[in-house]
Amino acid sequence: MDDPTSYPPIEPSNFDLIVIGTGLPESIVAAAASAAGKSVLHLDSNSFYGSHYASLPLNDFTSFLHSHSNSASTPAPSQPDDESGFDRVPLCTRPVYSSIDVSAHSTEPLEHSQKFCIDLAGPRVLLCADAMINLILKTDINQYMEFKSVDAIFIYDGDGNLANVPDSRSAIFKDRSLSFPEKNQLMRFFKLVQGHLGGDDTQSNKISEEDLESPFYEFLNRMGLSSKLKSIILYAITMATYDQENVDACKDVLKTRDGINRLALYHSSVGRFSNAPGAMIYPIYGQGELSQAFCRRAAVKGCIYVLRMPVHFLLKDKSSGNYKGVKLASGQELFSDNLILAPSFVIPSAMVDSSAHCLQDDSFDFGREDVKEKLVKGICITKCSLRPDVANCLAFFPPRSLFPDQVTSIRVFQLSSNVAVCPSGMFVTYLSVICDDVVQGKKLLEAAINALFSIPVSGVSENNSADNPNSNTKPDLLWSALYVQELTKDSFDSFISVSMPDWKLHYSDLLSASMKIFQKIYPNEEFFPKAASTEKQRDDDVPELKPSADGVPVDGGVPESEPEPKPLADGVAELEPSADGVAELEPSADGVAELEPSAEGVPELKSSAEGDPVGM
């Protein structure tokens, strides 16, 4: 790592906003502030973008987990007081990961460590019609990214099978696992929802206010849906987390109004892009691309980026008690009335000289309200897909599908090499569950792993699935990791602390929280105002992130010219606007997509033949 003391001084020394950490919430706020004309400094002690939302090579991923699972870091030595008017409060890091258990049944994944892009915030997907996709299109960061469609969605039926989720009219008719009465029930239910949302004032097509305020599970009961259909709607389509059947014990009861809105979002996502027939897409190279794209957007608008630069102190005004700046590892002091910190940062609750005392948990002001629940995560690497004909898929283990006392849904997300997150011929599968008890959470994930994969004994494969990828046997597990991630909430004080990645599959709550932070700091500014022209702006005087040799953006510099899109020789998807102005994916052979603004400023998808993002 570069020596921070060798960095040249940062100019200017005063900013409207200083952000520490390049996680997705921090990057969105930095980009929004830059778009509003604010001067922004964005710092990160890591050599990569994304912080706890990054996508990392396999070895780097485990190293990152371990480096953030130890005791709180020792603060920099206190400095003598001076006449500056500021106290220098040490900035430390807190452990946010724990109970890390890594198992390697084969050396092959580690031998190809650099070919993996493992998401720290996984599992997570993008619904094609949600607010995050709309923001991606509005801000033109689509020109820095590529996407692929999620091929299929499954639900565990309790009998050891992954059943298809029928999420459209054609899927319902084609689904052989549904009986004829169940198909009719589901069609009638979707028709009722469509009539309610379509503004049909006919009494028979409107859901009453009383029903809208009732638990969604009870409403589905009144609709006469079978247990199987209720499970599909609740946990695979509306993505409820807790057991909705046990209303009294459920921590998050889904109301009918919210359930209907989630159904509407899901079904408006299906087919929004013509060559992404499903409801969800995923970024090529991993979720970490989102943070990088927003950072690049911020850089184009003037934000200054400095990686590999630790912050040792916060500057606290002696008279007001507010934090007004930072002192870097280089020794330079920088000032701002607005500070945003990544979730792993903490400060001592009192100025203390003893490092040993500082390492005690009760000596830290964590700056946020911790969430009681824990998020247990798992990552599995195999050579075979969960289903022979599917590359990228999402699966759900509903409550009580593994154990009678299972009260939350388990989410499973498999990715293949066609999204450039693992070597060719391998698959990466993410699992997650929220729980009160870590032991119970790990027990659930271990049961899910045993249900999905074959775990070799003493390095010997039980079923040789790698030799026959088209077999119906469970894939052999090559490598796995189980760990616990802390959950936190955003905190607003004299500085703002963002939260750790939550347990949701989507980005809606994260985006809402980012908007709240921006509006807290700049209540009179618009969140990402729409420019008069959405054509990509280039200015040799504006800092911009350039790709390094390994494809990871680094800070500084402007490319001499924008690379022209390569011919679509490999059938890579092209996103073209439809007649009504909604971006659509044109059909392609491999479905890879990259968004590029058209000459008219309407988002459209372009792509290079080799799959590298245009403009990176």
Side-chain angles (χ1 to χ4, degrees):
M1 180 178 293
D2 297 344
D3 179 8
T5 60
S6 66
Y7 274 52
I10 297 172
E11 296 292 343
S13 59
N14 288 276
F15 295 86
D16 295 322
L17 174 65
I18 294 178
V19 183
I20 307 174
T22 54
L24 185 54
E26 304 98 293
S27 301
I28 291 174
V29 177
S34 298
K38 309 301 180 182
S39 59
V40 182
L41 174 65
H42 207 164
L43 305 166
D44 201 317
S45 60
N46 295 303
S47 60
F48 53 85
Y49 291 87
S51 299
H52 299 283
Y53 291 82
S55 300
L56 301 174
L58 191 57
N59 282 330
D60 293 349
F61 171 80
T62 54
S63 296
F64 187 89
L65 292 185
H66 286 294
S67 68
H68 287 78
S69 66
N70 300 320
S71 299
S73 62
T74 303
S78 297
Q79 296 186 339
D81 195 10
D82 56 23
E83 301 301 323
S84 66
F86 294 101
D87 288 324
R88 291 163 184 80
V89 181
L91 186 64
C92 313
T93 57
R94 61 170 292 186
V96 290
Y97 305 107
S98 61
S99 303
I100 302 168
D101 183 12
V102 178
S103 300
H105 306 285
S106 168
T107 60
E108 192 170 355
L110 294 176
E111 291 170 356
H112 299 280
S113 171
Q114 294 300 312
K115 294 183 178 180
F116 286 92
C117 292
I118 305 297
D119 292 339
L120 283 164
R124 208 169 283 266
V125 295
L126 288 156
L127 283 163
C128 292
D130 72 4
M132 182 61 84
I133 289 293
N134 293 337
L135 181 62
I136 287 172
L137 292 172
K138 177 182 178 181
T139 58
D140 289 339
I141 71 161
N142 40 21
Q143 62 193 319
Y144 310 132
M145 301 182 68
E146 297 179 313
F147 302 89
K148 253 188 179 290
S149 178
V150 176
D151 303 323
I153 302 176
F154 303 107
I155 190 165
Y156 188 74
D157 62 7
D159 296 324
N161 302 313
L162 290 176
N164 286 294
V165 172
D167 53 9
S168 65
R169 183 186 298 267
S170 61
I172 292 172
F173 282 119
K174 293 177 182 178
D175 196 318
R176 296 183 179 181
S177 67
L178 295 179
S179 65
F180 186 73
E182 285 178 324
K183 291 182 180 182
N184 282 334
Q185 291 172 7
L186 199 54
M187 289 297 295
R188 284 198 301 269
F189 175 73
F190 285 156
K191 185 176 180 180
L192 172 66
V193 173
Q194 184 179 16
H196 175 79
L197 296 170
D200 189 342
D201 293 330
T202 307
Q203 190 65 30
S204 60
N205 285 333
K206 296 298 290 185
I207 301 173
S208 68
E209 279 297 319
E210 182 181 356
D211 281 338
L212 289 174
E213 291 301 317
S214 68
F216 195 33
Y217 177 81
E218 293 180 0
F219 178 73
L220 297 179
N221 271 341
R222 289 195 291 273
M223 294 297 101
L225 299 180
S226 67
S227 296
K228 179 179 180 179
L229 295 181
K230 286 184 289 187
S231 184
I232 289 172
I233 293 170
L234 287 170
Y235 305 111
I237 298 180
T238 62
M239 301 182 192
T241 300
Y242 291 92
D243 187 355
Q244 299 297 307
E245 184 173 352
N246 189 355
V247 176
D248 294 333
C250 181
K251 291 186 176 181
D252 186 15
V253 176
L254 183 65
K255 289 186 177 182
T256 300
R257 188 188 306 277
D258 296 327
I260 296 298
N261 289 337
R262 293 188 191 183
L263 277 172
L265 173 62
Y266 188 97
H267 284 289
S268 61
S269 297
V270 175
R272 181 186 183 187
F273 303 124
S274 58
N275 75 330
M280 303 168 189
I281 56 177
Y282 179 84
I284 305 292
Y285 307 118
Q287 298 287 355
E289 293 296 296
L290 280 168
S291 297
Q292 293 186 31
F294 277 104
C295 286
R296 182 165 185 176
R297 163 75 179 189
V300 168
K301 295 296 183 179
C303 178
I304 296 177
Y305 279 87
V306 185
L307 300 185
R308 309 175 186 86
M309 178 57 74
V311 175
H312 282 177
F313 300 93
L314 297 185
L315 303 180
K316 187 175 183 179
D317 186 84
K318 292 179 181 179
S319 58
S320 68
N322 293 327
Y323 291 93
K324 297 290 187 177
V326 298
K327 182 167 185 177
L328 308 180
S330 63
Q332 185 178 7
E333 293 186 348
L334 302 167
F335 304 93
S336 175
D337 288 338
N338 301 299
L339 303 179
I340 297 178
L341 274 61
S344 56
F345 287 112
V346 293
I347 59 173
S349 58
M351 296 297 292
V352 291
D353 294 326
S354 169
S355 297
H357 183 201
C358 280
L359 289 176
Q360 299 299 316
D361 287 344
D362 59 2
S363 71
F364 284 94
D365 174 11
F366 290 96
R368 62 184 61 83
E369 178 185 352
D370 285 354
V371 179
K372 178 183 177 182
E373 293 86 1
K374 306 293 184 183
L375 185 59
V376 181
K377 292 186 173 185
I379 297 174
C380 297
I381 298 175
T382 65
K383 276 195 169 182
C384 293
S385 174
L386 294 172
R387 292 282 289 266
D389 55 341
V390 174
N392 309 306
C393 63
L394 188 63
F396 298 86
F397 285 79
R400 292 176 284 109
S401 61
L402 290 172
F403 300 106
D405 57 349
Q406 178 190 346
V407 297
T408 55
S409 174
I410 299 172
R411 284 79 181 266
V412 180
F413 188 32
Q414 175 189 277
L415 294 167
S416 70
S417 60
N418 69 11
V419 289
V421 298
C422 60
S424 178
M426 289 190 186
F427 297 84
V428 176
T429 302
Y430 298 92
L431 304 94
S432 71
V433 65
I434 188 171
C435 58
D436 292 326
D437 180 73
V438 170
V439 174
Q440 178 70 7
K442 280 201 165 186
K443 176 185 174 183
L444 286 172
L445 285 200
E446 287 168 354
I449 290 172
N450 286 327
L452 296 172
F453 306 106
S454 173
I455 303 176
V457 179
S458 301
V460 178
S461 172
E462 294 182 357
N463 55 42
N464 296 318
S465 62
D467 298 330
N468 185 13
N470 294 319
S471 68
N472 291 322
T473 55
K474 293 189 289 187
D476 285 334
L477 199 58
L478 302 180
W479 185 95
S480 66
L482 284 178
Y483 63 99
V484 178
Q485 181 209 291
E486 299 295 319
L487 293 169
T488 61
K489 295 181 180 179
D490 295 327
S491 110
F492 300 87
D493 203 340
S494 60
F495 62 85
I496 294 174
S497 294
V498 302
S499 62
M500 288 290 289
D502 60 25
W503 65 91
K504 307 291 180 62
L505 281 170
H506 53 75
Y507 287 96
S508 297
D509 291 354
L510 182 152
L511 182 55
S512 296
S514 301
M515 292 177 64
K516 182 179 178 182
I517 291 172
F518 176 82
Q519 291 161 357
K520 173 75 173 179
I521 301 174
Y522 303 114
N524 299 319
E525 299 287 350
E526 182 182 354
F527 186 70
F528 286 109
K530 187 66 175 177
S533 171
T534 58
E535 288 187 36
K536 193 177 349 180
Q537 300 176 4
R538 293 295 184 194
D539 187 339
D540 289 342
D541 295 326
V542 176
E544 184 184 9
L545 307 180
K546 288 169 51 180
S548 64
D550 59 1
V552 179
V554 295
D555 38 316
V558 178
E560 294 182 0
S561 63
E562 179 69 10
E564 292 295 325
K566 304 289 193 308
L568 301 181
D570 57 353
V572 176
E574 180 175 355
L575 187 59
E576 303 249 347
S578 65
D580 59 3
V582 178
E584 294 182 357
L585 286 162
E586 292 296 323
S588 71
D590 64 3
V592 177
E594 182 187 1
L595 298 163
E596 181 79 11
S598 68
E600 298 78 20
V602 179
E604 66 178 57
L605 216 75
K606 299 287 184 185
S607 173
S608 64
E610 59 272 357
D612 291 331
V614 175
M616 290 293 286

